[in-house]
Amino acid sequence: HAHEVLDHGFVRVVDYMGDDAAICQAARVSYGRGTKSVQNDEGLIRYLMRHWHSTPFEMCEIKLHVKLPVFVARQWIRHRTANVNEYSGRYSILDREFYIPSAEHLAAQSVVNNQGRGEALTGEEAARVLDWLKADSTRAYDHYEAMISQDGQQGLARELARMNLPANIYTQWYWKVDLHNLFHFLRLRADAHAQYEIRVYAEAICEIVKDWVPAAYAAFEDYRLGSVQLSGKGV
Amino acid sequence: HAHEVLDHGFVRVVDYMGDDAAICQAARVSYGRGTKSVQNDEGLIRYLMRHWHSTPFEMCEIKLHVKLPVFVARQWIRHRTANVNEYSGRYSILDREFYIPSAEHLAAQSVVNNQGRGEALTGEEAARVLDWLKADSTRAYDHYEAMISQDGQQGLARELARMNLPANIYTQWYWKVDLHNLFHFLRLRADAHAQYEIRVYAEAICEIVKDWVPAAYAAFEDYRLGSVQLSGKGV
Amino acid sequence: HAHEVLDHGFVRVVDYMGDDAAICQAARVSYGRGTKSVQNDEGLIRYLMRHWHSTPFEMCEIKLHVKLPVFVARQWIRHRTANVNEYSGRYSILDREFYIPSAEHLAAQSVVNNQGRGEALTGEEAARVLDWLKADSTRAYDHYEAMISQDGQQGLARELARMNLPANIYTQWYWKVDLHNLFHFLRLRADAHAQYEIRVYAEAICEIVKDWVPAAYAAFEDYRLGSVQLSGKGV
Amino acid sequence: HAHEVLDHGFVRVVDYMGDDAAICQAARVSYGRGTKSVQNDEGLIRYLMRHWHSTPFEMCEIKLHVKLPVFVARQWIRHRTANVNEYSGRYSILDREFYIPSAEHLAAQSVVNNQGRGEALTGEEAARVLDWLKADSTRAYDHYEAMISQDGQQGLARELARMNLPANIYTQWYWKVDLHNLFHFLRLRADAHAQYEIRVYAEAICEIVKDWVPAAYAAFEDYRLGSVQLSGKGV
Ligand SMILES: Cc1cc2nc3c(=O)[nH]c(=O)nc-3n(C[C@H](O)[C@H](O)[C@H](O)COP(=O)(O)OP(=O)(O)OC[C@H]3O[C@@H](n4cnc5c(N)ncnc54)[C@H](O)[C@@H]3O)c2cc1C
Ligand SMILES: Cc1cc2nc3c(=O)[nH]c(=O)nc-3n(C[C@H](O)[C@H](O)[C@H](O)COP(=O)(O)OP(=O)(O)OC[C@H]3O[C@@H](n4cnc5c(N)ncnc54)[C@H](O)[C@@H]3O)c2cc1C
Ligand SMILES: Cc1cc2nc3c(=O)[nH]c(=O)nc-3n(C[C@H](O)[C@H](O)[C@H](O)COP(=O)(O)OP(=O)(O)OC[C@H]3O[C@@H](n4cnc5c(N)ncnc54)[C@H](O)[C@@H]3O)c2cc1C
Ligand SMILES: Cc1cc2nc3c(=O)[nH]c(=O)nc-3n(C[C@H](O)[C@H](O)[C@H](O)COP(=O)(O)OP(=O)(O)OC[C@H]3O[C@@H](n4cnc5c(N)ncnc54)[C@H](O)[C@@H]3O)c2cc1C
């Protein structure tokens, strides 16, 4: 089944390879006869995570089908250690689906720092913003449709017409990645510094990973998500 | 100086490392004493290109500053073997600059195949399309500005407001890549199947590369751009 | 089951993800509604291969367990787009197993070019070479064992003792790679320019891939292995 | 000039691109108008390092010429995010140069853990080990030379003959890498868990990097090399 995210998005597992045992199997090839000391899988996985022995985690792979707004896709695609096939706006006609933030996520610019969000907008200001987002999306899509229509006219090339569409339109892709690089993605995107709209995808994936490789996820949560790093000077 | 591309874009060389001689220097480490047969640099470079000995070309590196529409950036970023720093729409306010195709590039959808362009639009249809593209960009940007304004209101977070902006808005980035992977990029994006708007960037970069590493570029042009591949069955 | 290669080596499939249908599934996300023209999977796969649309092939993944001589491993590991866990000579004691070429593969240096092999050695010369290879391996391993022994002595660190072992000793690893990059590996290593000892591994993997993704393998064979490339000037 | 490492090895800078200022230049594209808060380059670099904003560090690139024993090269090459051209033992004849540990680095296997070294060997045991290492190297090389000789015989192919050579023989390569991935390499290989023989190379490179990008190196030293990481449970 698909995990629903935002107003029209989702994350859905298509396939995966490997599990906690596969991580240990690979790690034990490396350690060979010398693994007697770390007896159980969970202990071995925690040891690997703690010492940044990342290659055994690359032995697991997952493939997801994701539907997401374009501005989220633009952040996501920056993670280069993955395999991607995206819906093509050159060949195909995009669907009329736009992300419109819910009231509580219509956040103001933070006044404390440049990069974050403050309180949710309220009252008239919130209403005005929502109206614009909706009206501009609708109009942009109406024109998109009208431009590509071949009804009584030539019809603009799809690859050109899509440039009129705003960044809150939804796209889709298949996204395949190994577990080590997925953890790296999750550390950066399930983090408080990440934009809310990508963070909810990362959080949905955290749930998926927790089910898939519980021991690895627990180690990740402890040593990466929840960890504190002290600088040499700080120590 | 910057090479101008499209209506507001450019490609500008920031820095580079290596040249034709650096390719040969690296290749000769591999060949060692055995390189007497291939005497001159040009011949050696052609030999490497012909036999897909790609690693010596990785010994050259170039860094570009590029200004480009977002829908072009979305295609470009799919090339993962590069280093990128893009202008941030979370921290910063985007400029009011949009790509509006010139008359001769306002192409119709091809009727022969799904993926390409046909003739340029003409007459009223062309005028209507241009009006829409301009009006929608302008209105979207007006609303963007109005939404983030902190004048007498809270002001929507920049990271949210930008979702209202269409894909023809310009962005900028630093893009660094090695010569082998740049050739791979150019083969795919200076090709007739690539969308016109990214192809003009690829062509501008071809000019840059031709100046930078003339022998390597000549070999690339001959064995990649201009080459014909016959299938086994076809032979 | 394991595919035997050379005198003590093997290639064994541990796991895989995806198949011919998975390639098409991903490709059709990209093509969207526009795929009616390419009806069947085989045709679509041939189309993708012919046009260097490589990302759908990245949607398949395979994990192999390989046992191979160190000098083969040194060539193999140069393919960076894979995930690897190798048996550790720091933690573990290596086995006494060495590659000794069979008579017909004890080839002379080519007299025509610097990089290849000529006829097999014969007579006394062949016998002498085999004697040396065997005797030196045996002696090196005897000393390795004697050096690390902790019987009545401190015992040299394993990570140091192994430096005495020649490059024909066997090692093992788990090796995981996507299908696109595996094809790239096979094109370079199942090729006549590759050293015989790695070529036989590539050939064993070709058999595995043919069983796994028959349509993709057929397209690869036709458009990569069997193809002929003509330079622009040659055309 | 070359930095000498071990008995016959070295690290030599061939070329580099970028410096501390280039890191900041790229980072400021991303931050845009929002960088007023972090005023000076050093502060900005420390901020980037602390928050794992790694892509600006990828904007610097260095190319090294390295001479190193094969068993060190086997560890080094596992770092895939680099460009490499190695001296070819297929085309060329390898030199008669072997790493022989100095007395104080002829370490015993650790008795506390499986992966490390203990005290240096002493007395007769040390002498015996050194004798074996030297004698086996010499004999292996004598046979290598005799096998490839074409004096009155066919001469074994170089690509085969080299399999007789032990892992302490020296090889050479050009190695090019960006600063972010170089820091990753240095964190793993200048670390106490790394084998002494690769650690001395990492330390030589640390000196080079300190000269090249002093602010970035200082931040790296403080936040990576010297840092302490506490698990969530530990906090
Ligand atoms: C005409 C055209 C139409 C296209 N249409 C679509 C479309 O409809 N949908 C779509 O999604 N894309 C489409 N693309 C994009 C295409 O699928 C590639 O993403 C893009 O061309 C980058 O190519 P690349 O992967 O070879 O380059 P790079 O990412 O630079 O990779 C170069 C090589 O490095 C290796 N590599 C790099 N990173 C990885 C990694 N993480 N894992 C494994 N190997 C790696 C691979 O060997 C790869 O071939 C299209 C491209 C073109 C040119
Ligand atoms: C909160 C936040 C704010 C951000 N703000 C900005 C911004 O303003 N501007 C901006 O441009 N980006 C921004 N980013 C994106 C960021 O710079 C990275 O591009 C993104 O997080 C992907 O991280 P990565 O490079 O570590 O991941 P991946 O691309 O998955 O790479 C993982 C690792 O693989 C290696 N690697 C993979 N590909 C290559 C390659 N081609 N060359 C060398 N090494 C490679 C590197 O070691 C890398 O660390 C932001 C990210 C976050 C989380
Ligand atoms: C003390 C020590 C002991 C070790 N013992 C062993 C051992 O017993 N057995 C063994 O096999 N290895 C061993 N290694 C090697 C180790 O497993 C790594 O291969 C090596 O340290 C390189 O690290 P890396 O993968 O992070 O670096 P790089 O290969 O440079 O990669 C950097 C980052 O880029 C990304 N990346 C690059 N290429 C790919 C790719 N193809 N696919 C996905 N992501 C990619 C990943 O995010 C990766 O973390 C040991 C290393 C150390 C330091
Ligand atoms: C017949 C033959 C002779 C050879 N002789 C020599 C020799 O004498 N000396 C020598 O050093 N090597 C030699 N090689 C090895 C060769 O140079 C390559 O290292 C090896 O073939 C791997 O190829 P690759 O780089 O295309 O594969 P991969 O490493 O799997 O890379 C595939 C593609 O991914 C991208 N990519 C992956 N990692 C990176 C990265 N870190 N940076 C940028 N792009 C990346 C590139 O686009 C690359 O083409 C030889 C190989 C063959 C087949």
Side-chain angles (χ1 to χ4, degrees):
Chain A
H1 75 291
H3 295 245
E4 292 179 17
V5 188
L6 298 180
D7 50 357
H8 302 290
F10 61 74
V11 176
R12 189 174 66 81
V13 179
V14 179
D15 203 354
Y16 43 75
M17 174 198 271
D19 52 16
D20 281 333
I23 299 166
C24 297
Q25 179 191 43
R28 290 208 171 89
V29 174
S30 305
Y31 291 73
R33 296 174 195 160
T35 359
K36 283 146 229 158
S37 54
V38 190
Q39 307 250 351
N40 60 17
D41 280 14
E42 208 187 302
L44 178 54
I45 283 173
R46 286 182 64 80
Y47 170 88
L48 296 170
M49 186 67 78
R50 194 164 63 245
H51 289 85
W52 297 87
H53 287 325
S54 52
T55 54
F57 296 101
E58 294 180 16
M59 289 290 149
C60 292
E61 191 89 14
I62 193 163
K63 195 195 296 182
L64 303 172
H65 180 188
V66 188
K67 189 170 158 193
L68 71 178
V70 162
F71 71 93
V72 174
R74 293 240 297 136
Q75 298 184 346
W76 194 311
I77 200 68
R78 294 296 304 276
H79 296 260
R80 296 157 294 181
T81 48
N83 314 111
V84 187
N85 277 284
E86 185 176 353
Y87 190 81
S88 169
R90 294 183 71 199
Y91 306 101
S92 310
I93 299 169
L94 294 164
D95 288 326
R96 186 192 280 270
E97 281 183 316
F98 295 89
Y99 168 61
I100 305 293
S102 63
E104 78 262 36
H105 293 117
L106 203 68
Q109 182 73 16
S110 166
V111 285
V112 250
N113 70 18
N114 255 327
Q115 45 180 318
R117 294 186 182 188
E119 304 284 288
L121 300 187
T122 53
E124 266 180 59
E125 186 182 352
R128 192 168 53 235
V129 162
L130 283 177
D131 277 355
W132 280 335
L133 290 177
K134 284 179 200 164
D136 287 357
S137 303
T138 303
R139 188 184 304 100
Y141 196 88
D142 289 345
H143 290 163
Y144 170 69
E145 265 189 329
M147 290 190 287
I148 61 175
S149 163
Q150 297 181 324
D151 224 4
Q153 63 174 15
Q154 290 175 271
L156 185 64
R158 288 168 195 174
E159 67 182 32
L160 282 174
R162 64 172 162 170
M163 82 167 84
N164 201 51
L165 296 167
N168 60 337
I169 194 164
Y170 275 86
T171 183
Q172 300 190 23
W173 61 35
Y174 279 71
W175 191 68
K176 176 171 151 289
V177 70
D178 66 68
L179 183 58
H180 163 60
N181 285 298
L182 180 56
F183 280 147
H184 182 69
F185 173 88
L186 294 175
R187 181 159 64 113
L188 293 173
R189 302 303 183 176
D191 186 88
H193 291 92
Q195 181 166 347
Y196 166 77
E197 282 76 16
I198 194 168
R199 208 163 63 226
V200 285
Y201 283 90
E203 284 164 1
I205 298 174
C206 281
E207 292 307 309
I208 290 169
V209 176
K210 195 187 281 184
D211 277 357
W212 171 34
V213 281
Y217 187 79
F220 165 69
E221 206 169 25
D222 197 24
Y223 289 111
R224 294 288 183 279
L225 280 190
S227 78
V228 168
Q229 213 194 7
L230 302 177
S231 83
K233 291 183 184 161
V235 175
Chain B
H1 76 290
H3 295 244
E4 292 180 18
V5 188
L6 298 179
D7 50 356
H8 302 291
F10 62 74
V11 177
R12 190 173 65 82
V13 179
V14 178
D15 203 353
Y16 43 76
M17 173 198 272
D19 52 16
D20 282 331
I23 299 167
C24 296
Q25 178 191 45
R28 292 212 169 87
V29 174
S30 306
Y31 291 73
R33 295 171 197 163
T35 357
K36 284 147 229 156
S37 53
V38 190
Q39 306 251 352
N40 61 17
D41 279 15
E42 210 187 301
L44 178 55
I45 283 174
R46 286 182 64 80
Y47 170 89
L48 296 170
M49 185 67 77
R50 195 164 62 245
H51 288 86
W52 296 88
H53 287 325
S54 52
T55 52
F57 296 101
E58 294 181 16
M59 289 291 149
C60 292
E61 191 90 14
I62 192 163
K63 195 195 296 182
L64 304 172
H65 181 190
V66 188
K67 189 170 159 193
L68 70 179
V70 162
F71 71 93
V72 174
R74 293 240 295 135
Q75 298 184 347
W76 193 313
I77 199 69
R78 295 295 303 279
H79 296 261
R80 297 157 294 181
T81 47
N83 315 111
V84 187
N85 277 283
E86 184 176 354
Y87 191 80
S88 168
R90 294 183 71 198
Y91 305 100
S92 309
I93 299 168
L94 294 163
D95 288 327
R96 187 193 280 269
E97 280 183 316
F98 295 89
Y99 168 61
I100 304 294
S102 62
E104 77 262 37
H105 293 117
L106 204 66
Q109 182 73 17
S110 166
V111 285
V112 248
N113 70 17
N114 255 326
Q115 43 180 321
R117 294 187 183 187
E119 303 285 287
L121 300 187
T122 51
E124 267 180 58
E125 187 182 353
R128 192 168 53 236
V129 163
L130 283 178
D131 277 357
W132 279 335
L133 290 177
K134 284 179 200 163
D136 287 358
S137 301
T138 302
R139 188 185 302 100
Y141 196 87
D142 287 346
H143 291 163
Y144 169 70
E145 265 190 328
M147 290 190 286
I148 61 176
S149 162
Q150 298 182 324
D151 222 4
Q153 63 175 15
Q154 291 175 273
L156 184 64
R158 289 168 194 175
E159 66 183 31
L160 282 174
R162 63 171 163 173
M163 80 166 85
N164 202 51
L165 295 168
N168 60 338
I169 194 166
Y170 275 87
T171 184
Q172 301 190 21
W173 60 36
Y174 278 73
W175 191 68
K176 176 171 150 289
V177 70
D178 66 67
L179 182 60
H180 163 61
N181 285 297
L182 180 55
F183 279 147
H184 182 69
F185 173 87
L186 293 176
R187 180 159 65 114
L188 293 173
R189 302 302 184 177
D191 186 89
H193 291 93
Q195 181 165 349
Y196 166 76
E197 281 76 15
I198 193 167
R199 208 163 63 226
V200 285
Y201 283 90
E203 285 164 0
I205 298 175
C206 281
E207 292 307 308
I208 290 170
V209 177
K210 195 187 281 183
D211 276 358
W212 172 34
V213 281
Y217 187 78
F220 164 69
E221 208 170 21
D222 196 25
Y223 289 111
R224 295 287 182 281
L225 279 191
S227 79
V228 169
Q229 215 194 4
L230 301 178
S231 83
K233 290 184 185 158
V235 174
Chain C
H1 76 292
H3 295 245
E4 292 180 19
V5 188
L6 298 181
D7 50 356
H8 302 291
F10 62 74
V11 176
R12 190 172 66 81
V13 179
V14 179
D15 203 353
Y16 44 76
M17 173 198 271
D19 52 16
D20 281 332
I23 299 166
C24 296
Q25 179 190 45
R28 291 211 170 88
V29 174
S30 305
Y31 291 73
R33 295 172 196 161
T35 359
K36 283 146 229 156
S37 54
V38 190
Q39 307 250 351
N40 62 15
D41 280 14
E42 210 187 302
L44 178 54
I45 284 174
R46 286 182 64 80
Y47 170 89
L48 296 170
M49 186 67 78
R50 194 164 64 245
H51 289 85
W52 297 88
H53 286 325
S54 52
T55 54
F57 296 101
E58 294 181 17
M59 289 291 149
C60 292
E61 190 89 14
I62 193 163
K63 195 195 295 181
L64 303 173
H65 180 189
V66 187
K67 189 170 159 194
L68 71 178
V70 162
F71 70 93
V72 174
R74 293 240 295 137
Q75 298 184 346
W76 193 312
I77 199 69
R78 294 295 303 277
H79 296 261
R80 295 157 295 180
T81 48
N83 314 111
V84 186
N85 277 283
E86 184 176 355
Y87 190 81
S88 168
R90 295 184 70 199
Y91 306 101
S92 310
I93 298 168
L94 294 163
D95 288 326
R96 186 193 281 271
E97 280 182 318
F98 295 89
Y99 169 60
I100 305 293
S102 63
E104 77 263 36
H105 294 116
L106 204 67
Q109 181 74 16
S110 166
V111 285
V112 249
N113 70 16
N114 254 326
Q115 45 180 319
R117 293 187 183 188
E119 304 285 287
L121 300 188
T122 53
E124 267 180 60
E125 186 183 353
R128 192 168 54 237
V129 163
L130 284 177
D131 277 356
W132 279 335
L133 290 177
K134 284 179 199 162
D136 287 358
S137 301
T138 303
R139 188 184 304 98
Y141 196 87
D142 288 346
H143 291 163
Y144 170 69
E145 265 190 330
M147 290 190 287
I148 63 176
S149 163
Q150 298 183 324
D151 224 4
Q153 63 174 16
Q154 291 175 272
L156 184 64
R158 290 167 195 175
E159 66 182 33
L160 282 174
R162 62 169 164 173
M163 80 166 84
N164 202 51
L165 296 166
N168 59 338
I169 194 165
Y170 275 87
T171 183
Q172 300 190 22
W173 60 35
Y174 278 72
W175 191 68
K176 175 171 152 288
V177 71
D178 66 67
L179 183 59
H180 163 61
N181 285 297
L182 180 55
F183 280 147
H184 182 69
F185 173 88
L186 293 176
R187 180 158 66 112
L188 292 174
R189 302 302 183 177
D191 186 88
H193 291 92
Q195 181 166 349
Y196 167 77
E197 281 76 16
I198 193 167
R199 209 164 62 226
V200 286
Y201 282 90
E203 285 164 0
I205 297 174
C206 281
E207 292 307 309
I208 289 170
V209 176
K210 195 188 281 184
D211 277 358
W212 172 34
V213 282
Y217 187 79
F220 165 69
E221 208 170 22
D222 197 25
Y223 289 110
R224 294 288 182 279
L225 279 190
S227 78
V228 168
Q229 216 193 6
L230 302 178
S231 83
K233 290 184 185 158
V235 174
Chain D
H1 76 291
H3 296 244
E4 292 179 18
V5 189
L6 298 180
D7 48 358
H8 302 290
F10 61 74
V11 176
R12 189 173 66 82
V13 180
V14 179
D15 203 354
Y16 43 75
M17 174 198 270
D19 52 16
D20 281 332
I23 299 166
C24 296
Q25 179 191 44
R28 291 210 171 91
V29 175
S30 306
Y31 292 72
R33 296 174 195 160
T35 358
K36 283 147 228 156
S37 54
V38 191
Q39 308 250 351
N40 61 17
D41 280 14
E42 208 187 301
L44 177 55
I45 284 174
R46 286 183 64 80
Y47 170 89
L48 296 170
M49 185 67 78
R50 194 164 65 244
H51 288 86
W52 298 88
H53 286 325
S54 51
T55 54
F57 296 101
E58 294 181 17
M59 288 290 149
C60 293
E61 190 89 14
I62 193 163
K63 195 195 295 181
L64 303 172
H65 180 190
V66 188
K67 189 170 160 194
L68 71 178
V70 162
F71 71 93
V72 174
R74 294 240 296 137
Q75 298 185 347
W76 194 311
I77 200 68
R78 295 296 303 278
H79 296 261
R80 297 158 294 183
T81 47
N83 315 111
V84 187
N85 277 283
E86 185 176 354
Y87 190 80
S88 168
R90 295 183 71 200
Y91 306 101
S92 310
I93 299 169
L94 295 163
D95 288 326
R96 187 193 279 271
E97 281 183 316
F98 296 89
Y99 168 60
I100 304 294
S102 63
E104 78 261 36
H105 294 118
L106 203 67
Q109 181 73 17
S110 166
V111 285
V112 250
N113 70 16
N114 255 327
Q115 45 179 318
R117 293 186 183 188
E119 304 285 289
L121 300 188
T122 52
E124 268 179 56
E125 187 182 351
R128 192 168 53 237
V129 162
L130 283 178
D131 277 356
W132 280 334
L133 290 176
K134 284 179 199 162
D136 288 356
S137 303
T138 303
R139 188 186 303 100
Y141 196 87
D142 288 346
H143 291 164
Y144 169 70
E145 265 189 329
M147 291 191 286
I148 60 176
S149 163
Q150 297 182 326
D151 223 4
Q153 63 175 14
Q154 292 175 271
L156 185 65
R158 289 167 194 174
E159 67 183 31
L160 282 175
R162 64 172 163 172
M163 82 167 82
N164 201 52
L165 296 167
N168 59 338
I169 195 165
Y170 275 87
T171 183
Q172 300 190 23
W173 61 35
Y174 278 73
W175 191 69
K176 175 171 152 288
V177 70
D178 66 68
L179 183 59
H180 164 59
N181 285 297
L182 180 56
F183 279 147
H184 183 69
F185 173 88
L186 293 176
R187 181 159 64 114
L188 292 174
R189 303 302 184 176
D191 186 88
H193 291 93
Q195 182 165 348
Y196 166 76
E197 281 78 15
I198 194 168
R199 208 164 63 225
V200 285
Y201 283 90
E203 285 164 0
I205 298 174
C206 281
E207 292 307 309
I208 290 170
V209 176
K210 195 187 281 184
D211 276 358
W212 172 34
V213 280
Y217 186 80
F220 165 70
E221 206 169 25
D222 197 24
Y223 288 111
R224 294 289 182 277
L225 279 190
S227 79
V228 168
Q229 213 192 8
L230 302 177
S231 83
K233 290 183 184 159
V235 174

